[in-house]
C-alpha cells in the first residue's frame, strides 16, 4: 500500500507550525499523555507499541518519513489520552502541528483532509493485518514471515531476540527457542546482535 503523501509545502508555509528533532531512544509520547500536537516525520522512524503487565509488548506500527501517528490524531479528534508508547527508533526530525490547527484544517483545508484520511486508511489496513496474524497464524509462521520481510535485499538482520519478541508480541525466551530451532534446521545462523538468513526457500515454506 502506498504511503500517503505528506503536504510538506503546505505545512512549512504555516506560521503556527514548528520543527523538532530528537535522538534514538527518546519517548515522545507515553501511555496516558494528553495529545497537544501532531508530528509529521521529515526523517527518522518512530515505533508505536503497547506494553503488557508481564513486561512484553506488541508493536502496533511504525511511523516513517512523511507519516504521522494516527493514534495521536484520533486522540486529538476525540479529546482523549494517548493509549500507547511512541519511541524514536532512528534519529528523527518532524513538523509539529498544534492540535487546534489539526482540527481547524480538517474543516477548511482539502489537502490536509486528504492526508489525514489517507493516513487513517493506510494505518487501519496495517492494524487489521496485525490482528489477523495474531489471531490466525502460529508464532513460528509469524517469525518466519518477519525474518523474510526484514531480510529483503540483504542476508543479515541486525537485531536482538528481545526486539524480535517485541515485534511479535512474544517473550524473549520463546523467540530464542524458535530461532535456535531454525538454526538447527540450517535455515539461519545466530550471532550476537545478528540473524543471518541462509535458506530463504525453506524458511518461506514454514506453514
Amino acid at each position: 500500500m502506498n504511503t500517503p503523501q505528506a503536504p510538506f509545502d503546505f505545512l512549512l508555509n504555516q506560521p503556527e507550525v514548528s520543527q523538532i528533532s530528537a535522538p534514538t531512544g527518546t519517548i515522545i509520547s507515553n501511555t496516558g499523555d494528553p495529545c497537544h500536537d501532531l508530528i509529521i516525520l521529515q526523517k527518522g522512524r518512530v515505533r508505536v507499541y503497547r506494553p503488557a503487565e508481564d513486561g512484553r509488548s506488541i508493536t502496533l506500527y511504525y511511523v516513517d518519513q512523511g507519516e504521522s501517528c494516527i493514534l495521536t490524531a484520533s486522540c486529538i479528534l476525540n479529546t482523549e489520552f494517548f493509549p500507547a508508547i511512541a519511541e524514536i527508533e532512528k534519529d528523527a526530525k518532524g513538523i509539529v502541528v498544534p492540535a487546534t490547527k489539526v482540527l481547524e484544517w480538517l474543516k477548511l483545508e482539502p489537502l490536509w483532509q486528504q492526508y489525514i484520511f489517507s493516513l487513517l486508511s493506510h494505518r487501519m489496513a496495517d492494524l487489521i493485518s496485525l490482528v489477523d496474524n495474531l489471531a490466525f497464524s502460529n508464532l513460528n509462521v509469524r517469525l518466519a514471515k518477519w525474518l523474510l520481510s526484514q531480510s529483503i535485499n540483504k542476508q543479515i538482520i541486525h537485531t536482538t531476540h528481545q526486539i524480535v519478541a517485541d515485534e511479535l508480541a512474544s517473550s524473549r525466551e520463546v523467540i530464542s527457542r524458535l530461532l535456535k530451532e531454525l538454526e538447527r534446521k540450517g535455515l539461519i545462523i545466530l550471532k550476537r546482535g545478528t540473524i543471518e538468513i541462509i535458506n530463504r526457500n525453506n524458511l518461506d515454506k514454514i506453514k
Side-chain angles (χ1 to χ4, degrees), residues 66-106:
E67 298 179 340
S68 186
C69 177
I70 202 62
L71 280 180
T72 303
S74 176
C75 291
I76 290 173
L77 290 170
N78 296 289
T79 320
E80 295 177 346
F81 296 109
F82 196 68
I85 297 175
E87 180 179 356
I88 293 177
E89 190 172 78
K90 296 179 183 178
D91 292 355
K93 178 182 178 182
I95 299 172
V96 181
V97 181
T100 53
K101 288 298 172 183
V102 172
L103 297 172
E104 179 183 326
W105 293 339
L106 275 174

Side-chain angles (χ1 to χ4, degrees), residues 20-156:
I20 189 173
S21 60
T24 300
T26 302
I27 302 292
I28 55 176
S29 289
N30 219 325
T31 305
D33 284 350
C35 297
H36 298 303
D37 308 288
L38 184 67
I39 299 174
I40 293 85
L41 276 193
Q42 293 171 290
K43 70 173 186 178
R45 195 178 215 206
V46 175
R47 175 184 174 230
V48 180
Y49 63 96
R50 286 271 294 177
E53 291 183 0
D54 62 3
R56 294 184 298 165
S57 67
I58 180 171
T59 299
L60 300 177
Y61 52 83
Y62 287 96
V63 180
D64 291 303
Q65 181 178 339
E67 298 179 340
S68 186
C69 177
I70 202 62
L71 280 180
T72 303
S74 176
C75 291
I76 290 173
L77 290 170
N78 296 289
T79 320
E80 295 177 346
F81 296 109
F82 196 68
I85 297 175
E87 180 179 356
I88 293 177
E89 190 172 78
K90 296 179 183 178
D91 292 355
K93 178 182 178 182
I95 299 172
V96 181
V97 181
T100 53
K101 288 298 172 183
V102 172
L103 297 172
E104 179 183 326
W105 293 339
L106 275 174
K107 296 177 182 178
L108 302 175
E109 297 291 344
L111 190 65
W112 183 249
Q113 294 169 0
Q114 182 181 12
Y115 172 69
I116 293 297
F117 292 136
S118 295
L119 188 66
L120 176 61
S121 175
H122 174 80
R123 197 60 72 200
M124 283 298 295
D126 289 344
L127 292 176
I128 289 171
S129 177
L130 173 63
V131 171
D132 282 347
N133 283 329
L134 289 173
F136 304 119
S137 295
N138 293 329
L139 183 56
N140 60 336
V141 175
R142 289 164 48 212
L143 174 59
K145 287 181 178 179
W146 187 88
L147 291 170
L148 290 169
S149 71
Q150 297 299 306
S151 60
I152 296 174
N153 299 323
K154 61 183 179 181
Q155 191 170 347
I156 296 177

